[in-house]
Amino acid sequence: MLALWSVSFVLLCIWRFSYAQYEHLGYLPGYQEPAQDLYTIPELPKDTPRIQLRLAGEKRKHNEGRVEVFYEGEWGTVCDDDFTIHAAQVVCRELGYFEAVSWSPSSKYGKGEGRIWFDNVRCTGNERSLAQCESNGIGVSDCKHTEDVGVVCSDKRIPGFKFMLLCKFNVIRVESLNIQVEDVRIRPILSTYRKRIPVTEGYVEVKDGGKWKQICDDEWTQMNSRVICGMFGFPGDKRYNTRVYKMFARRRKQTYWDYSINCTGNEAHLSSCKLGHTLAIKANSTCEQGSPVVVSCVPGRAFAPAPMAGYKKQPLVRLRGGAVVGEGRVEVLKNGEWGTICDDSWNLVAATVVCRELGFGSAKEALSGGQLGQGMGPVHMNEVKCSGFEKSVTECPFSMDKDSEGCSHEEDAGVRCNVPAMGFQQRLRLSGGRNPFEGRVEVLKERNGSLVWGTVCGEGWGIMEAMVVCRQLGLGFASHAFQETWNWPGAVNADSVVMSGVRCAGTEMSLSHCLHHGEYLSCPKGGGRFAAGVSCSETAPDLVLNPQVVEQTTYLEDRPMFMLQCAYEENCLGSTSSSTPANSYRRLLRFSSQIHNNGQSDFRPKASRESWVWHDCHRHYHSMEVFTHYDLLSNNGTKVAEGHKASFCLEDSECDEGIEKRYECANFGEQGITLGCWDTYRHDIDCQWVDITDVKPGDYIFQIVINPNYEVAETDYTNNIVKCRCRYDGHRIWMYNCHIGGSFSAETEDTFPGLINNQVTHR
């Protein structure tokens, strides 16, 4: 159990800021916080200039920003000349972070003001203060603020870090400093909240110098509560019973922190708030007329203990392409059509508005550059500038210039939101794998009054179930689902099957939320080596069919039966074709398919090349049994004709500028679709049609579904379907209003009977 917690602590960064508040709940029996060497205040030579650092500017994460230095009563910056990752390491450790992740030159976080205190900084990485590094001398610089340097620090704080290390001198104003503490938590006090998941109410405590301390509420404001709730995944705060907490506070001796907190309310994290006044606390046990700070947070709809009313049926904002709950590419609804946001000026404030609007907390990261995959359709907003208090990002001012240069889907904005710690990841583990991203799935279940670890029946286990496992563990997307796990022995005492018949939609936050057999298990082969397994990946592809190409290339062809022998062998013709004479015709609805990979990695077939099948008719290897379904539906959703690509040869037909083709079917070449490329199946190749010989004239719906059986993992399955309106008069055919499923508003989709996403098969 301890080993599991250790692995999870490193990998599951989405829960990192929320772990502390669950120490008392007993999720991990026998767990004790590992002994750590407490941070000691560095002793600097007397001739070392005394400085204070902070991170400022246009941040994308709370733990990054422009490096600013306080010296001789003035804040200034650091020039990027000669700056290295070693200097960034010194900066981050001086700020209480465990290490530096990266650094950025050329005022990435905006131009600072005041003096440029350091230029040509040369550090070894072992210095205890930036002032100890070699430089031109403090205040000696020939740089401009266009050269201000920035750093990205790790999320993890130094254990035992003591705030205000070097600020015992009086020239600095405490109120100008950002808050730097080792950790923050909400500790439930009242018995009704101790058992509640997630924790929504309790004392706000900070860990400083290795000790948890309460905060005096003398100068506490609702804006401070808003920031704390946002950090822990809650969109807002509410009032609570102050009398009960005051009575409780009188009974216990408190250990108060030395400072008050001053937040504006739109900070994404406590570390972006400023320190308030230093509090005069007698013997560190009283708080004048006040009490410890308490917050009471309101969970979003997905995390509320009971159903919540009052939500709009059609949201104006949604997230797509994310691996876990609360992250994704931001899409907004405008004029009935979903589109994306350009990342110009995209920052934590705007990202937090999106997160709160969707029922999450504040944003922990504002993503740019289409990192979570590229969208399709229009770019609706650019240069978004939010105050932080808007109810929707659609209320924020943005650029109305539709001719803005460079706002393609390569710049789609995304978010990673803080979500409440639900404890899901502690009831699931991967065992026996070669690395933490793979293994046999083992779940914690109650059996005969005690919690035991066991396996999941491998029968019927598929990629959608694997997706839920990887999401629950914070390991990204599923790359493979295994129904047998011979190579992963797992824990010997966990061989028994404790869960069977699992069927997931793929959107669940926990495997226990999926349909399953419950107490009455059914698993013919049993567990052990026949248990379910997964391998996870941080990235995945995303296939999207271009609807305009379908609409523009559709036509009818009457083709003689003697020219359709290959197609007949591959079952690409209607059911009456078996009785059609060789000299008669079949009427084919033909069109081209242009399939783009807009995700985060290459699309590869599930089967290895050793199992690909050679087809003499078409003279190439087929790597997937079923890749696409083509259906012609009546207006009430009944199928009247169908087609399919029985097997597929996957290759790069064309690519975006600057991307090289990797996959080609010829000569038993590798198959796949490179990220940023597309595979075009022209209208004039075999089986690229629907046989409508027996279809009567009328109005229909034409539907195409890619990867219908979910054989290969993708970041988003909802965009795998294209629908078109279709009119056939017996001689000609018209295709119009072609669009990707889910790309229009719900009202528009209602005019297309049937499903609006890729849930087209009943497994």
Side-chain angles (χ1 to χ4, degrees), residues 332-566:
V332 294
L333 185 64
K334 186 177 180 183
N335 299 325
E337 187 174 7
W338 288 99
T340 60
I341 296 178
C342 186
D343 64 10
D344 294 347
S345 300
W346 187 246
N347 58 21
L348 274 178
V349 176
T352 290
V353 172
V354 169
C355 291
R356 290 187 190 273
E357 178 180 0
L358 293 172
F360 305 114
S362 52
K364 58 183 175 183
E365 191 168 359
L367 299 164
S368 58
Q371 290 182 52
L372 295 180
Q374 297 181 25
M376 295 286 282
V379 178
H380 280 324
M381 301 175 75
N382 182 28
E383 297 283 353
V384 178
K385 293 181 173 62
C386 301
S387 69
F389 293 95
E390 293 87 354
K391 291 184 178 179
S392 171
V393 72
T394 58
E395 298 175 4
C396 299
F398 64 96
S399 172
M400 300 297 292
D401 183 8
K402 294 183 179 179
D403 299 321
S404 297
E405 291 294 326
C407 261
S408 67
H409 286 296
E410 293 178 355
E411 295 180 89
D412 283 345
V415 296
R416 286 196 175 102
C417 306
N418 286 310
V419 298
M422 303 296 290
F424 293 144
Q425 75 282 3
Q426 298 173 11
R427 305 185 74 88
L428 187 72
R429 68 187 183 191
L430 301 184
S431 183
R434 296 162 296 180
N435 58 63
F437 286 81
E438 67 177 22
R440 186 176 78 175
V441 179
E442 296 178 0
V443 295
L444 192 62
K445 283 284 187 180
E446 186 174 344
R447 287 289 180 270
N448 301 322
S450 60
L451 291 174
V452 297
W453 287 98
T455 59
V456 179
C457 184
E459 189 173 1
W461 184 260
I463 202 72
M464 302 307 276
E465 290 73 37
M467 280 284 198
V468 174
V469 168
C470 294
R471 175 184 300 112
Q472 185 174 346
L473 291 173
L475 299 178
F477 304 96
S479 55
H480 292 90
F482 301 94
Q483 295 188 355
E484 297 180 4
T485 49
W486 292 88
N487 294 326
W488 298 329
V492 177
N493 61 350
D495 279 349
S496 299
V497 175
V498 296
M499 199 173 187
S500 66
V502 182
R503 291 292 181 274
C504 303
T507 57
E508 296 88 351
M509 287 187 280
S510 166
L511 197 65
S512 62
H513 293 167
C514 299
L515 291 173
H516 56 277
H517 287 154
E519 296 296 320
Y520 302 98
L521 302 175
S522 174
C523 191
K525 293 183 179 179
R529 304 298 173 88
F530 293 98
V534 302
S535 62
C536 304
S537 172
E538 293 179 336
T539 59
D542 183 22
L543 296 187
V544 184
L545 186 70
N546 190 324
Q548 284 73 38
V549 171
V550 176
E551 188 169 314
Q552 294 163 6
T553 59
T554 303
Y555 65 97
L556 293 179
E557 180 194 8
D558 289 335
R559 194 169 182 82
M561 190 66 192
F562 67 83
M563 297 179 66
L564 294 170
Q565 279 306 114
C566 277

Side-chain angles (χ1 to χ4, degrees), residues 227-371:
V227 172
I228 294 295
C229 288
M231 279 179 58
F232 289 101
F234 306 113
D237 63 293
K238 62 183 177 68
R239 293 183 178 182
Y240 59 91
N241 189 335
T242 56
R243 249 175 46 181
V244 174
Y245 282 100
K246 284 183 179 179
M247 289 172 56
F248 187 88
R250 293 193 198 106
R251 301 181 201 158
R252 300 280 180 95
K253 181 181 178 181
Q254 313 299 331
T255 304
Y256 287 101
W257 195 40
D258 297 340
Y259 307 95
S260 62
I261 289 173
N262 184 16
C263 302
T264 65
N266 65 1
E267 294 90 351
H269 192 273
L270 187 66
S271 63
S272 297
C273 297
K274 303 295 183 187
L275 274 182
H277 297 101
T278 305
L279 300 178
I281 300 174
K282 299 177 182 178
N284 200 32
S285 61
T286 62
C287 177
E288 297 294 330
Q289 303 300 316
S291 302
V293 163
V294 176
V295 296
S296 184
C297 304
V298 180
R301 176 173 53 177
F303 306 97
M308 300 179 69
Y311 282 83
K312 290 179 289 188
K313 289 184 178 180
Q314 178 66 62
L316 298 176
V317 178
R318 69 184 185 186
L319 301 182
R320 286 288 185 269
V324 297
V325 174
E327 77 169 33
R329 177 180 62 252
V330 182
E331 296 187 353
V332 294
L333 185 64
K334 186 177 180 183
N335 299 325
E337 187 174 7
W338 288 99
T340 60
I341 296 178
C342 186
D343 64 10
D344 294 347
S345 300
W346 187 246
N347 58 21
L348 274 178
V349 176
T352 290
V353 172
V354 169
C355 291
R356 290 187 190 273
E357 178 180 0
L358 293 172
F360 305 114
S362 52
K364 58 183 175 183
E365 191 168 359
L367 299 164
S368 58
Q371 290 182 52

